[in-house]
Amino acid sequence: MHNGFRKVNASKVTINELMLPSHANFSGKIHGGYILMLMDQIAFASASKYSGSYCVTASVDTVDFLNPIEVGELVTMKASVNYVGNSSMVIGIRVTSENIQTGKVKHCNSSYFTMVAKDNAGKNVVVPPLQLCNLEEVRRFHNTLKRISLRNEKNRHEETFDYTSPEALEGLKQYRVKFDL
């Protein structure tokens, strides 16, 4: 068990990778699945670096591909801990790509991975509490609290929606759906 607070800086990881033709999808852009794989790797590295433990991905929140990544561009991913629970950590990841000939940089993705620290037996382990050192870290922590609250509210709503009632089914018809039950 960790008693000492750790700073966000203890979790910071940056990776750069040149995008090759083998990473492209059928339309010639870099495959989103390949970018997700890299994001999972950097989330693992950041969480493991912070916690000092092996970490697994528990969930991925908000993956919006904002701009396509081209073959030949240099992708940079930056990750750090935004929030710490008992054994879980929310890792914020920012993905940019740079055209190495023109120097133009574009923001391609920001995402949040929840990682859980494990011991050698696969049991959850307690991670160090988080020490916030600047207002940007406070902003990211607060925004993560809001995302957690929204996710919990969404889960509560899904649990209480009575999909078997005639009224509920009737209400869904406005969404261009036909029932053949």
Side-chain angles (χ1 to χ4, degrees):
M1 181 172 168
H2 297 278
N3 292 324
F5 287 80
R6 296 204 66 197
K7 295 180 180 180
V8 172
N9 280 345
S11 71
K12 288 192 174 184
V13 177
T14 301
I15 62 171
N16 296 298
E17 185 168 335
L18 185 64
M19 295 295 106
L20 304 175
S22 61
H23 304 139
N25 61 23
F26 295 115
S27 68
K29 308 296 184 196
I30 300 306
H31 196 288
Y34 184 71
I35 298 302
L36 283 170
M37 180 191 72
L38 293 176
M39 293 169 71
D40 192 52
Q41 289 175 6
I42 196 169
F44 166 82
S46 177
S48 294
K49 185 177 177 185
Y50 180 85
S51 67
S53 301
Y54 177 77
C55 294
V56 298
T57 306
S59 70
V60 179
D61 183 26
T62 314
V63 179
D64 294 322
F65 293 98
L66 306 173
N67 288 295
I69 300 172
E70 307 289 338
V71 171
E73 290 184 333
L74 184 64
V75 167
T76 300
M77 295 189 181
K78 295 182 178 185
S80 63
V81 168
N82 287 358
Y83 169 86
V84 172
N86 289 321
S87 61
S88 67
M89 297 152 280
V90 175
I91 308 297
I93 303 169
R94 181 177 174 89
V95 180
T96 59
S97 68
E98 177 184 1
N99 179 313
I100 57 178
Q101 294 172 328
T102 66
K104 181 180 177 189
V105 176
K106 27 178 202 186
H107 178 208
C108 300
N109 188 312
S110 289
S111 195
Y112 308 94
F113 280 55
T114 300
M115 308 297 288
V116 177
K118 301 283 187 175
D119 64 16
N120 291 337
K123 303 284 186 194
N124 291 1
V125 296
V126 175
V127 298
L130 187 59
Q131 179 179 341
L132 304 175
C133 297
N134 59 55
L135 292 177
E136 179 64 15
E137 292 172 2
V138 172
R139 181 188 69 78
R140 289 179 179 163
F141 182 85
H142 180 260
N143 285 346
T144 302
L145 291 175
K146 288 193 303 188
R147 274 192 304 281
I148 291 169
S149 177
L150 287 171
R151 183 181 62 218
N152 291 340
E153 180 61 29
K154 176 183 158 275
N155 290 341
R156 275 191 298 281
H157 175 72
E158 287 176 356
E159 291 171 6
T160 60
F161 177 71
D162 180 9
Y163 59 91
T164 62
S165 76
E167 297 82 16
L169 294 176
E170 189 63 34
L172 293 176
K173 287 184 180 177
Q174 67 179 318
Y175 297 104
R176 296 175 25 114
V177 63
K178 178 182 175 182
F179 298 102
D180 188 14
L181 304 174

